[in-house]
């Protein structure tokens, strides 16, 4: 079994699976259950100054579902902790004392002034916590009061606050980023400039999960009205993966540790975040959907994968980053064609409908419901693969160099060539 | 020569008697074979549909219901729209969702059957949608402006009901004439109780008649109350959906013994009765190989018969009952015997045993009740020309007589299924309409 022990900016945990700052890490009772279930660490739900905030008394969550009510996306309007500061601090002390091998990081959100940070940081340090995470991401409620994503959307504020925090604590500082911006590298750069030890991302995405078509109100609805919430869960994973990769492959940010967050539901999701440069992952929605026991599947799955690949955890981190590139760098001489494996085809015809109606008319429907790719029309767009209900029934087959692409009539070149040198590119640099 | 004795005798009383079971078991025995989906089950089942291009299930459906569309309408929470999709093609979609042999029609063609041996449950989904609409009494169709034309529809079974509804929708006045006390034909009298529970057949007819413009007359016997010639004179067109009124017989010794019934009559009696009041033998033999034989054998078992043998003269491959129905019979404890040719019914006064010749041997099966399900046939007197024992019709139901159409079991070309009868009735109505409006 692979060794999953993790060291993230000096914070040690028996595995790289942490629970994100969120309802599951709201109090001692939950965190104890999480550690007993096997989680490597937690980021304690965000602390603030007293008097503590209050939450709504109506629904805090909304959701979208797939088949069989499988929860695909969750939206929440819960705020930071709604319990007194000292209660949380005392509980952190007790948990850390009983679980010294686990990571306990404390999420913080106080007003955008140095004094509150100077006040709260020593209190957290005294608990024995391993680090702090600055909540610059929460997109609902707190942002209306100048905190959370209101800070995270202004790089200058991020840098300023991070600098204050670094100046007032010896603990590692993780800056949690909001995805509700246009370029994730800007806030990450600010965090780095302020001295952050790491960034964590993504926080939740501004969202309305639905509209009640009888009340004509957004969901979740409280007394006939609704406010936007923060979206999370499996549906946001692709957005999170891209933002993690954007930071990981940025030359200016290279080496900035990343804690990956956003829809991690299985070991495979976690491995994907790690491969794109995250040093560990944080989980919330999957635990809220299935309970804490899912971590056992994550541990066994990641361990088996690393064993099968004969890799260590650190070998995996960032392994896919060199292969993330800009569109202009893609090899235009790599020619593929879709191929339908007739032995696996169940003759539903979805590939045909998709290609005929919405793509390149590159699939023929032959007598007996036999579907075949027309190589002289196929642009290898992959839509047929994506809509086919049978895994591996349709595959993309790379054409061998030297063969003739029947669609273009051109010989497939063995050489790499991209848009930057293509004759149709007005800005092309002559390839000589 | 010794003949093997099939079926162990039980401690229960021999002879034909009612109330063999504790009174509280009948309701469970005759409950829905396929219970209705609840909302969540329907959503999950609907989500399994791939919305195939040119879907094979639609091709396999004799009424060509747009199955992917109606399933998608269920999946998106609009079951009434789904029901309208179904009923616009098949006005008896509620009954067909219950009794269609989907395992040899739409569900056999489902690509998921090919992929994983587990098709989308189209029949149950269809019932979910139609029940949703019909249980609230909503009739989603309206009549066109009156045409002033009058059509006689003889037989209020699936073909006649389907034809009458479509004609009424087109604005014609329909006289729906049926010999029985209740409309519905085999839906009312000829299908196993557990396939259509809680008086559904009757409720469906009442719902169908809400279209208006249809006058139902029960107790009308063609040839007695009016001849076909009379009807041709009195109406602008006639549709015959008279079914197969006679049953085939056997020609073996002993058929005059007490305890021998037509399976068709047995099923009809059961459908119109409290099961606890229906007499059944302890050792029942059913002769036949079709759906009627299976319905009779299974229900004999459900009524408390200790031993039920379903004997078919040919090999299993030639049985007209679907494999699903055969498996159902076996699962209910019916002993199925293939290649068993009846030779003689033994007994003094009442049936005591049925003797078969099977693979060169004599097989003697003790029995106190014998049910015959060896097919039904047309009574051709006073009807248009026949072909192969049925009224000869073309693709749209036209007979040898001008102004006379036919469909359902009495007409050539069908396969004696409810759904086929509905399709023929509907298509004949369309052709009648075209003829009348020319």
């Amino acid at each position: 079994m692979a060794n999953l022990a993790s060291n993230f900016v000096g914070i040690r945990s028996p595995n790289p699976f942490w629970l994100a700052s969120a309802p599951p890490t709201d109090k001692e009772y939950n965190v104890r259950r999480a550690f007993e279930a096997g989680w490597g660490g937690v980021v304690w739900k965000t602390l603030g100054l007293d008097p503590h905030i209050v939450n709504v008394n109506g629904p805090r969550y909304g959701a979208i579902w797939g088949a069989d009510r499988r929860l695909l996306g969750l939206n929440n309007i819960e705020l930071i902790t709604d319990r007194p500061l000292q209660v949380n601090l005392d509980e952190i002390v007790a948990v850390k004392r009983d679980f010294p091998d686990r990571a306990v990081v404390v999420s913080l959100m106080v007003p955008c002034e140095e004094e509150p940070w100077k006040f709260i940081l020593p209190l957290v340090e005294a608990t024995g916590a391993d680090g702090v995470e600055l909540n610059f991401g929460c997109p609902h409620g707190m942002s209306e009061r100048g905190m959370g994503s209101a800070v995270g959307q202004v790089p200058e504020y991020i840098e300023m606050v991070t600098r204050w925090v670094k100046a007032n604590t010896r603990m590692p500082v993780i800056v949690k980023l909001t995805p509700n911006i246009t370029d994730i590298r800007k806030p990450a750069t600010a965090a780095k400039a302020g001295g952050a030890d790491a960034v964590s991302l993504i926080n939740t995405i501004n969202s309305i999960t639905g509209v009640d078509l009888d009340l004509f109100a957004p969901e979740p609805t409280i007394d006939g009205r609704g406010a936007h919430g923060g979206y999370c869960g499996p549906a946001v994973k692709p957005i999170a993966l891209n933002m993690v990769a954007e930071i990981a492959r940025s030359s200016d940010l290279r080496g900035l540790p990343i804690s990956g967050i956003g829809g991690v539901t299985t070991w495979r999701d976690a491995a994907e975040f790690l491969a794109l440069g995250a040093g560990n992952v944080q989980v919330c929605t999957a635990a809220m959907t299935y309970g804490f026991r899912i971590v056992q599947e994550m541990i066994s799955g990641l361990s088996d994968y690393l064993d099968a690949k004969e890799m260590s955890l650190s070998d995996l981190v960032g392994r896919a980053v060199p292969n993330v590139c800009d569109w202009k760098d893609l090899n235009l001489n790599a020619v593929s064609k879709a191929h339908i494996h007739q032995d696996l085809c169940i003759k539903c015809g979805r590939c045909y409908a998709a290609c005929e109606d919405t793509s390149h008319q590159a699939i023929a429907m032959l007598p007996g419901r036999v579907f075949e790719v027309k190589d002289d029309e196929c642009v290898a767009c992959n839509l047929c693969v994506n809509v086919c209900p049978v895994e591996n029934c349709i595959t993309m087959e790379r054409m061998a160099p030297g063969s003739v692409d029947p669609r273009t009539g051109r010989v497939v070149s063995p050489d790499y060539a991209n848009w930057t040198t293509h004759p149709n590119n007005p800005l092309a640099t002559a390839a000589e | 020569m010794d003949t093997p004795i099939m079926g162990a005798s039980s401690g229960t009383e021999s002879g034909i008697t009612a109330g063999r079971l504790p009174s509280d078991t009948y309701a469970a025995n005759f409950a829905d074979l396929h219970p209705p989906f609840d909302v969540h089950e329907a959503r999950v089942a609907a989500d399994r549909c791939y919305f195939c291009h040119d879907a094979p299930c639609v091709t396999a459906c004799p009424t060509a219901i747009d199955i992917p569309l109606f399933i998608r309408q269920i999946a998106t929470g609009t079951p009434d729209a789904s029901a309208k999709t179904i009923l616009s093609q098949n006005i008896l979609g509620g009954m067909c969702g219950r009794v269609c042999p989907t395992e040899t029609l739409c569900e056999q063609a489902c690509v998921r059957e090919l992929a994983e041996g587990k098709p989308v449950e189209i029949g149950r989904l269809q019932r979910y949608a139609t029940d949703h609409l019909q249980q609230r009494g909503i009739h989603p169709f309206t009549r066109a402006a009156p045409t002033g034309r009058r059509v006689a529809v003889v037989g209020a079974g699936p073909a006649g009901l389907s034809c009458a509804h479509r004609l009424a929708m087109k604005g014609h006045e329909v006289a729906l004439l049926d010999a029985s006390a209740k409309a519905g034909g085999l839906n009312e009298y000829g299908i196993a109780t557990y396939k259509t529970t809680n008086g559904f057949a009757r409720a469906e007819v009442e719902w169908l008649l809400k279209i208006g413009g249809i006058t139902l007359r029960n107790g009308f016997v063609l040839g007695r109350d009016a001849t076909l010639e009379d009807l041709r004179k009195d109406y602008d067109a006639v549709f015959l959906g008279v079914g197969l009124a006679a049953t085939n017989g056997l020609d073996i010794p002993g058929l005059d013994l007490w305890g021998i019934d037509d399976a068709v009559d047995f099923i009809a009696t059961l459908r119109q009765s409290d099961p606890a009041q229906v007499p059944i033998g302890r050792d029942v033999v059913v002769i036949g190989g079709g759906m009627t034989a299976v319905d009779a054998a299974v229900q004999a078992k459900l009524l408390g018969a200790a031993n039920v043998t379903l004997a078919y003269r040919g090999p299993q491959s030639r049985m007209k009952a679907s494999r699903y129905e055969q498996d159902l019979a076996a699962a209910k404890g019916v002993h199925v015997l293939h290649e068993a040719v009846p030779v003689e019914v033994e007994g003094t006064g009442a049936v005591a045993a049925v003797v078969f010749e099977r693979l060169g041997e004599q097989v003697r099966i003790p029995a106190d009740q014998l049910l015959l399900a060896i097919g039904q046939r047309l009574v051709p007197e006073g009807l248009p020309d026949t072909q192969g024992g049925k009224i000869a019709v073309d693709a749209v139901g036209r007979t040898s007589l001008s102004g006379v159409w036919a469909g359902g079991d009495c007409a050539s070309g069908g396969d004696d299924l409810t759904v086929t009868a509905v399709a023929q009735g509907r298509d004949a109505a369309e052709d009648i309409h075209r003829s009348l409006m020319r």
Side-chain angles (χ1 to χ4, degrees):
Chain A
M1 178 159 171
N3 178 13
L4 296 184
S6 164
N7 182 340
F8 185 78
V9 296
I11 304 171
R12 295 180 183 280
S13 58
N15 61 56
F17 305 114
W18 293 6
L19 284 168
S21 170
T25 60
D26 182 40
K27 58 187 184 299
E28 179 179 355
Y29 182 85
N30 306 69
V31 174
R32 280 186 185 277
R33 285 179 64 84
F35 284 161
E36 284 159 8
W39 289 89
V42 300
V43 181
W44 199 279
K45 185 173 167 76
T46 307
L47 309 186
L49 297 180
D50 290 329
H52 59 79
I53 62 87
V54 297
N55 272 300
V56 293
N57 298 299
R60 300 178 188 188
Y61 307 114
I64 65 163
W65 297 272
D68 205 4
R69 263 179 92 83
R70 178 175 291 264
L71 193 143
L72 298 180
L74 191 70
N75 160 298
N76 94 84
I77 58 167
E78 182 170 295
L79 302 182
I80 63 173
T81 183
D82 55 8
R83 305 185 307 154
L85 177 60
Q86 194 58 47
V87 171
N88 279 294
L89 294 171
D90 292 346
E91 290 184 0
I92 293 167
V93 170
V95 170
K96 186 64 196 176
R97 184 185 62 220
D98 291 350
F99 294 90
D101 67 323
R102 310 301 173 92
V104 178
V105 172
V106 177
S107 174
L108 297 174
M109 184 194 290
V110 295
C112 214
E113 301 152 20
E114 189 169 7
E115 282 311 308
W117 293 97
K118 279 184 165 174
F119 164 77
I120 202 166
L121 283 163
L123 301 177
V124 174
E125 217 166 270
T127 64
D130 298 294
V132 291
E133 184 181 80
L134 312 186
N135 183 343
F136 295 162
C138 193
H140 49 268
M142 303 310 290
S143 54
E144 297 169 17
R145 309 173 199 182
M147 291 181 275
S149 64
V151 177
Q153 286 165 337
V154 183
E156 293 77 7
Y157 292 172
I158 293 173
E159 181 177 343
M160 176 180 72
V161 177
T162 306
R163 201 180 301 281
W164 290 338
V165 173
K166 283 301 289 182
N168 287 289
T169 182
R170 57 168 174 76
M171 292 183 288
V173 176
I174 304 167
V175 174
K176 188 166 182 177
L177 303 180
T178 175
N180 300 306
I181 42 80
T182 49
D183 182 349
I184 196 66
R185 294 171 299 186
K186 295 293 190 290
T189 301
K192 187 182 180 192
D197 296 280
V199 290
S200 56
L201 68 152
I202 57 173
N203 206 309
T204 55
I205 302 171
N206 289 342
S207 62
I208 290 172
T209 50
V211 176
D212 186 315
L213 290 177
D214 297 313
L215 296 174
F216 301 101
E219 292 174 329
T221 309
I222 296 173
D223 192 24
R225 304 180 80 186
H228 81 263
Y231 198 42
C232 51
V236 311
K237 187 185 100 174
I239 297 164
L241 284 177
N242 177 57
M243 288 187 165
V244 166
E246 284 296 290
I247 293 172
R249 75 189 185 96
S250 157
S251 55
D252 295 338
L253 296 169
R254 184 157 297 148
L256 179 64
I258 301 167
S259 184
I261 311 169
V264 175
T265 307
T266 68
W267 74 267
R268 185 178 291 274
D269 299 326
E272 290 172 10
F273 273 93
L274 297 173
L276 283 178
N280 72 2
V281 294
Q282 297 184 31
V283 177
C284 172
T285 307
M288 292 181 75
T289 309
Y290 303 106
F292 288 142
R293 292 191 320 117
I294 56 165
V295 74
Q296 292 301 327
E297 164 268 311
M298 294 181 176
I299 290 168
S300 63
L302 183 61
S303 176
D304 288 354
Y305 170 76
L306 292 174
D307 285 347
K309 292 282 184 189
E310 298 183 340
M311 288 163 60
S312 69
L313 185 62
S314 58
D315 291 337
L316 175 58
V317 173
R319 184 82 177 253
V321 173
N323 294 327
V324 183
C325 68
D326 291 343
W327 191 96
K328 65 178 165 55
D329 297 321
L330 296 170
N331 184 4
L332 295 175
N333 283 340
V335 179
S336 293
K337 298 291 173 187
H339 178 73
I340 300 172
H341 298 268
Q342 298 299 335
D343 54 330
L344 292 176
C345 177
I346 61 171
K347 305 182 185 301
C348 68
R350 276 166 54 154
C351 58
Y352 175 82
C355 193
E356 193 70 11
D357 285 355
T358 71
S359 290
H360 298 83
Q361 297 77 46
I363 294 178
M365 183 173 175
L366 305 175
R369 299 185 69 81
V370 173
F371 298 93
E372 273 182 6
V373 175
K374 296 188 267 190
D375 283 353
D376 58 341
E377 299 289 349
C378 177
V379 301
C381 73
N382 214 41
L383 181 63
C384 55
V385 173
N386 294 332
V387 302
C388 177
V390 181
E391 201 172 1
N392 298 322
C393 174
I394 309 179
T395 52
M396 282 296 153
E397 304 292 338
R398 177 94 176 253
M399 292 194 73
S403 55
V404 176
D405 179 350
R407 183 176 71 88
T408 60
R410 293 206 190 96
V411 175
V412 176
S413 166
D415 301 324
Y416 165 84
N418 63 40
W419 173 245
T420 63
T421 59
H422 196 279
N424 286 21
N425 181 355
L427 303 175
T429 49
E432 290 175 27
Chain B
M1 176 173 146
D2 285 336
T3 53
I5 294 175
M6 309 291 292
S9 65
S10 78
T12 52
E13 186 187 345
S14 68
I16 302 176
T17 176
R20 287 187 175 275
L21 301 174
S23 56
D24 56 350
T25 54
Y26 289 97
N29 276 5
F30 289 92
D32 256 318
L33 182 61
H34 303 292
F37 279 135
D38 70 21
V39 175
H40 180 69
E41 288 172 323
R43 291 273 182 95
V44 173
D47 194 78
R48 294 185 67 239
C49 174
Y50 286 139
F51 205 77
C52 293
H53 173 75
D54 190 15
C57 53
V58 180
T59 309
C61 175
T63 54
I65 293 170
D66 190 341
I67 293 166
L69 176 61
F70 95 66
I71 291 179
R72 188 174 166 83
Q73 288 167 321
I74 292 173
T76 56
T78 53
D80 288 347
S82 174
K84 195 166 178 188
T85 299
I86 295 161
L87 297 164
S88 62
Q89 284 294 105
N90 179 338
I91 197 64
L92 298 182
M95 182 61 80
C96 289
R98 289 164 165 79
V99 306
C100 257
T102 53
E103 63 276 8
T104 61
L105 297 170
C106 53
E107 291 180 18
Q108 184 181 56
C110 177
V111 300
R112 283 221 184 232
E113 172 65 24
L114 180 66
E116 59 200 91
K118 193 172 183 300
V120 174
E121 292 184 79
I122 299 167
R124 287 178 82 188
L125 284 166
Q126 178 166 316
R127 174 179 173 182
Y128 172 81
T130 52
D131 278 2
H132 191 271
L133 186 88
Q134 291 174 333
Q135 283 174 356
R136 284 173 300 132
I138 297 171
H139 191 98
F141 303 105
T142 51
R143 295 188 69 196
T147 62
R149 307 292 178 137
R150 297 168 64 249
V151 183
V153 172
V154 186
L161 287 168
S162 166
C163 183
H165 185 273
R166 186 57 63 107
L167 288 169
M169 257 178 81
K170 300 283 187 188
H172 307 297
E173 284 292 325
V174 179
L176 182 57
L177 313 169
D178 193 86
S180 302
K182 293 183 194 171
L186 291 178
N187 286 358
E188 178 61 45
Y189 294 100
I191 290 165
T193 301
Y194 51 78
K195 290 179 182 170
T196 167
T197 58
N198 297 326
F200 176 74
R202 179 163 213 175
E204 187 180 43
V205 170
E206 286 169 6
W207 170 87
L208 179 146
L209 293 176
K210 286 187 184 179
I211 184 72
I214 303 173
T215 308
L216 174 65
R217 180 176 160 196
N218 289 108
F220 172 92
V221 177
L222 185 65
R224 183 191 74 188
D225 299 303
T227 64
L228 181 54
E229 277 313 305
D230 296 335
L231 296 179
R232 289 178 79 192
K233 285 193 200 102
D234 292 348
Y235 294 90
D236 296 304
V238 180
F239 176 82
L240 298 170
V242 295
L244 304 173
T247 50
N248 293 327
L250 272 179
D251 188 17
I252 58 172
L255 287 176
D256 53 342
L257 293 168
W258 189 82
I260 302 177
D261 297 298
D262 265 335
V264 170
D265 295 337
F266 166 71
I267 291 167
T269 302
L270 182 53
R271 275 293 299 279
Q272 303 301 318
S273 311
D274 170 7
Q277 307 300 323
V278 175
I280 193 71
R282 183 186 66 186
D283 304 303
V284 177
V285 171
V286 180
I287 294 178
M291 296 294 204
T292 301
V294 171
D295 280 1
V298 169
Q299 296 195 108
K301 195 72 194 168
L302 297 175
L303 285 172
N307 301 298
V308 177
T309 304
L310 174 58
Y312 175 58
R313 65 166 52 233
Q316 180 174 19
S317 59
R318 286 223 308 270
M319 284 183 81
K320 281 181 81 179
S322 69
R323 189 58 187 257
Y324 174 85
E325 291 283 325
Q326 296 178 42
D327 290 346
L328 175 69
K332 296 290 184 189
V334 172
H335 181 63
V336 184
L337 203 60
H338 306 116
E339 319 237 21
V341 180
V343 176
E344 183 184 1
V345 185
E346 293 180 356
T348 47
V351 174
V354 185
V355 182
F356 295 90
E357 182 158 317
R358 184 163 187 271
L359 306 173
E361 288 192 342
Q362 291 251 313
V363 182
R364 181 176 175 278
I365 301 176
D368 41 31
Q369 188 171 20
L370 171 62
L371 298 172
L372 301 176
I374 46 184
Q376 289 138 262
R377 62 185 166 80
L378 182 72
V379 180
E381 284 71 30
L383 296 179
D385 293 348
T386 61
Q387 176 190 357
K390 295 192 168 191
I391 299 172
V393 292
D394 66 7
V396 291
R398 294 186 184 197
T399 69
S400 59
L401 299 175
S402 71
V404 181
W405 283 255
D409 290 357
C410 70
S412 63
D415 43 11
D416 295 358
L417 292 175
T418 304
V419 65
T420 320
V422 172
Q424 290 170 335
R426 177 198 69 193
D427 295 346
E430 291 287 349
D431 193 57
I432 292 168
H433 175 68
R434 277 192 297 272
S435 301
L436 296 182
M437 304 309 287
R438 196 152 32 215

